[in-house]
Amino acid sequence: MSDLTRKTAAELSELMASGETSSVEITQAHLDRITATDTAVHAFLHVDTDGALAQAADVDKRRAAGEKLGPLAGVPLALKDVLTQDGVPTTAGSRILEGWKPPYDSTVVKRLKAAGIVILGKTNMDEFAMGSSTENSAYGPTHNPWDLARIPGGSGGGSSAAISAYQAPLAIGTDTGGSIRQPAAFTGTVGVKPTYGGTSRYGLIALASSLDTPGPCARTTLDAALLHEVIAGHDPMDSTSIDQPVPPVVEAARRGDVNGLRIGVVKELGGEGYQPGVEARFHEAVELLTKLGAEVVEVSCPHFQYALPAYYLILPSEASSNLAKFDAMRFGLRVGDDGENDAEQVMRLTREAGFGAEVKRRIMLGTHALSSGYYDAYYGQAQKVRTLIARDFTRAYEQVDVLVSPATPTTAFAIGDRVNDPIAMYKNDLCTIPSNLAGNAAASFPVGLADEDGLPVGFHVMAPVMRDDLLYQVGAALESALADQWGGVLMSKAPELEVTR
Amino acid sequence: MTVVADVLPIDDALAQYDPVMGLEVHVELNTKSKMFCGCPTEFGAEPNTQTCPVCLGLPGALPVVNAVGVESAIKIGLALNCEIAEWCRFARKNYFYPDMPKNFQTSQYDEPIAFNGWTDVVVDGETYRIEIERAHMEEDTGKSLHVGGATGRIHGASHSLVDYNRAGIPLIEIVTKTIEVPGEKAAAVARALVSQLRDLLLSIGVSDVRMDQGSLRCDANVSLKPKGSTTLGTRTETKNVNSFRSVERAITYEITRQAAILSSGGKILQETRHWHEDTGITTSGREKSDADDYRYFPEPDLVPIAPSREWVESLRATLPEAPSLRRARLQTEWGFTDLEMRDVINGGAVEYIVRTVELGVDAAAAKKWWLGELARAANESGKDLGDLGVGPAEVAEVQKLVDEGALNDKLARQVFDGLVKGEGTPAEIMAARGLALVSDDSALIEAIDRAIAANPDVVEKVNSGKPAAAGALIGAVMKDMRGQADAAKVRELLNTKLGI
Amino acid sequence: MPSITREEVAHLARLARIELSDDELDHLAPQLDQIIGLVAQVSDVAAEDIPPTSHALPLSNVMRKDENVPCLTPEQALSGAPAAEDQRFRVPRILSEEA
Ligand SMILES: [Zn+2]
């Protein structure tokens, strides 16, 4: 059964239901694949072999006992290391949390466990999700399975790399400015940022509270939808959680029909600064949607150009406060406690030693933006720009059902390329950030490879708040039409990874 | 290190300067759970047994607002005649401190839930209106134990041990506008205000207001301006002045200290100061600096609170009457004279008498104990009436024993003494101290026989038609019984014996 | 003229409790200056009457009942502590009283 790792979650589910294989077999196959490939990819920070196999055995036992199980019961998953899991190391990619084992489950993890999903381990990420390449992880970068010399995107590079390396069929990411969608685009996989408040943040180590959104990563649209349905829904532990039914995402993914759907191409998200191969694949996909019966128009969102500056005020401001708790007093790293240094000095020394350069940069920026005399000009104004961006969306949605753009201006770049140029790095997220600021749902779907470098290109779909189902409708339509063209999903074009023993 | 500053005698100080005050009062609410999580709020629990990821500030945890916390804040606002915000938010106050788990306090900044109120306080029969700037919601911090120093104080300690049970307990911060009253009344008005706030909070039932447990804490701002001047002076903020007496003493001290500095040409530093209950002085804490940049911003983990007007009005309907009306009503009900009522108010005993009377005790008896034996004990120990460990329930119990004839007033005073000293329940104290009245007739009759035998001249007088002379015999019997007899009972038995 | 000086960066580091090295200060000041140049664009985009947005959906009055839920055990609470003593978090000496 060596091909178990090539199956989709939906296929694995059927194989288990029909008794052809077990969760333990599937889990073991993926653990083996991790062992064989992760030296090269470095998608995982922690592999919970015993925990995963125990969970799998439990699902198998319950299935054998005739218990009615959810559609994803027994399917393995890779969890971004920013979500707490009781008793399992959780670092958020930071030295300051090395060895910390949270005493509680995040809501996402609670729901995964309740659905019988097997958690293989914790995936690599930019430290505290600050970054677009996973190079900011304190534990070393993750490599893109399509080209190991390149970054897999970020911050959730580990999760996307894991699914594109067939180490897991499913993964959880979190998206603050594109951290699910951009890595999905760079790895030829599907990544969905649900509506803000559609998935619970309880147990998500906060980067920017008003932007952070957990969401599903998978190799197919249907798998992403199945996972979306498991983790979404109201959570009384998160005050910003939306108390409404989960949009019908699975049904939309199964239907995959765009006939009559009105699609708006965002004028401002393209042109200068966009790689030709990215634009070419994007426009072909738009054409394909037209052929499938969608009505396509161009739409202007004039304030999107201010999304990046607004984002780099709001995020650092909230982050500077959210990260204050990492102070060496109650958990995590402590440096300089020699009996001589006082608490304040130990805090300073620990934070100096425990945080990486990008984290410090953003804490400093946020501290500046919130300090007296600057608040109104910076944070206050950025919140107003948010209103303008949300209004751009509202106006656009009066004309169209969804908006589309490339997911990223370029394909995956080389490791080390942009580490010393923060602004170039920030510009990766030009297309994805507006949806975080406005809180609406958005996703990236693979639409082919750029001619110039043979690397995956992501197609970005943005849907109104709580219309996450529309994303899946578009994604599934594209996926099946492209599979017809290619004779399979894009992932089947990925180069084989060298397997180590 | 304590430096004793020179002070000017208070009369001299007030002759030259007018004090301007402001009070910030923190009240711990008596909700079952904390402000943002479901942990209990019990005082005195074992360390770190009432914590969860939220109040420990663990990575990933999120706050959810306690509805009763908001309700209590609105009630307090209404009781202080405040406007209640139609829409308000929480804000983060960012600063680092080891007993504050998130290194920001979830509080309110420019959008408090209640604002623009007032309350009237009475001092020596004179009414002063205190304007209330705002009342806002926030959370308490943990508690640090400083280890290795000589006195458990922060200075000289080698390390500290932190208990987060208190972290996250709901607090309401009440902030007055500047208070300017005649200098000689200033400290007394501040004390009366705090005492009245305590009464108000008790009467609306939102807090236990145990000052000894820190559930009501005051910070007092004081500045001086030269008599006749309108320019405000530099103010100091004296932290943690945690009894009514201390409020009065600390403000008086600050007036005399600042006056001494100003009159010798010095400058007041804008700083926080610490009140020392034992020595009765304040010492320099921390100078205000540009590091006091709290970087307030709206708490993004919480959504706005928009109390509907129906909700506010329904809470208003539950409020007891205003303090001044209530005082007048109580005076009538209790049948006290103006002077008696003034003593009760000045003594901070109104609420205790109310609750004692509720337990079935006659108002005069309640007043007698609260203003007599208990006020004396409070004064002697430097405590507030509420911190003696004797409550209305104990007073009612003792009075019941008096009414039943098991105690007389003299013995009751000894019982109160035992209660204040923590010797147990009234019954236990009576047993331990042997205080019960002798109700055994045969013992009394024996004592009467002894008295008759020892005082033949008195018996002679009674028998010769002067029954009033029997009083001397009663005195002798009471003395013989060491006071532990009911005088009425003795009289009854003696009369029978003597046939009168 | 830079919008942020090295001294200001040092001040921010004190506020943020990060013991930056001289090297880092040299490095960070121009970087922050550059980033602030980028983000400062927002300051004149929105008109006075534009309301601020803090969340996607304008929720309000999200509250929970005043009820107790199980706490962590003290062992769990202290499980991540760098140092503990007498069931309390042991922290280095604290020099000044709370702010
Ligand atoms: Zn708690």
Side-chain angles (χ1 to χ4, degrees), chain A residues 3 101 122 127 199 240 310 418 455 486:
Chain A
D3 63 348
K101 290 182 185 169
K122 311 295 290 286
E127 183 176 5
T199 45
T240 58
R418 301 187 188 175
L455 290 169
W486 302 330

Side-chain angles (χ1 to χ4, degrees), chain B residues 441 444-445 448 489-498:
Chain B
D441 284 4
L444 291 178
I445 290 167
I448 288 168
K489 181 87 182 169
V490 173
R491 177 182 296 278
E492 186 191 318
L493 290 171
L494 185 68
N495 287 353
T496 312
K497 194 92 184 171
L498 296 176

Side-chain angles (χ1 to χ4, degrees), chain B residues 34 36-40 50-56 164-165 167-168, chain C residues 69-72:
Chain B
K34 293 184 180 180
F36 303 112
C37 65
C39 290
Q50 299 183 352
T51 70
C52 72
V54 179
C55 57
L56 271 184
Y164 292 100
N165 281 347
Chain C
V69 297
C71 298
L72 292 174

Side-chain angles (χ1 to χ4, degrees), chain A residues 71-333:
Chain A
L72 293 179
V75 176
L77 170 142
L79 181 66
K80 190 177 181 183
D81 201 27
V82 75
L83 287 150
T84 62
Q85 184 180 352
D86 194 353
V88 175
T90 302
T91 68
S94 182
R95 195 62 72 193
I96 211 162
L97 271 183
E98 192 166 8
W100 182 60
K101 290 182 185 169
Y104 77 106
D105 276 337
S106 54
T107 297
V108 166
V109 164
K110 260 189 207 147
R111 291 185 181 180
L112 293 173
K113 285 181 174 175
I117 293 173
V118 174
I119 302 171
L120 295 169
K122 311 295 290 286
T123 59
N124 199 11
M125 56 185 285
D126 285 302
E127 183 176 5
F128 289 109
M130 295 187 196
S132 310
S133 68
T134 316
E135 290 166 292
N136 294 335
S137 167
Y139 305 97
T142 295
H143 300 262
N144 191 325
W146 287 77
D147 177 351
L148 292 173
R150 300 201 180 233
I151 58 102
S155 65
S159 281
S160 292
I163 50 177
S164 79
Y166 298 102
Q167 295 172 335
L170 300 171
I172 294 290
T174 60
D175 193 312
T176 305
S179 290
I180 289 175
R181 292 164 287 161
Q182 184 253 21
F186 284 1
T187 57
T189 57
V190 175
V192 178
K193 180 199 96 69
T195 297
Y196 176 86
T199 45
S200 169
R201 293 186 295 115
Y202 189 79
L204 190 178
I205 300 176
L207 168 54
S209 308
S210 72
L211 304 168
D212 296 342
T213 313
C217 310
R219 289 191 295 268
T220 68
T221 307
L222 177 60
D223 280 3
L226 290 167
L227 182 54
H228 188 137
E229 199 166 61
V230 168
I231 60 170
H234 181 241
D235 177 14
M237 302 287 278
D238 175 356
S239 305
T240 58
S241 171
I242 295 171
D243 193 1
Q244 284 176 26
V246 179
V249 289
V250 173
E251 190 203 320
R254 291 195 198 279
R255 196 166 69 237
D257 176 16
V258 292
N259 195 20
L261 196 75
R262 297 170 306 163
I263 294 175
V265 176
V266 181
K267 193 173 91 186
E268 286 78 7
L269 301 177
E272 205 199 310
Y274 286 72
Q275 192 178 319
V278 168
E279 294 227 272
R281 292 298 89 79
F282 171 70
H283 288 299
E284 285 169 18
V286 170
E287 242 163 76
L288 187 57
L289 288 168
T290 316
K291 279 192 200 133
L292 294 171
E295 296 166 29
V296 177
V297 293
E298 194 180 67
V299 170
S300 174
C301 294
H303 295 99
F304 279 19
Q305 59 172 311
Y306 301 110
L308 191 71
Y311 176 80
Y312 276 100
L313 284 169
I314 292 165
L315 179 144
S317 298
E318 294 182 7
S320 69
S321 172
N322 284 333
L323 267 57
K325 64 174 58 165
F326 300 95
D327 66 352
M329 299 297 118
R330 290 161 300 282
F331 51 81
L333 184 70

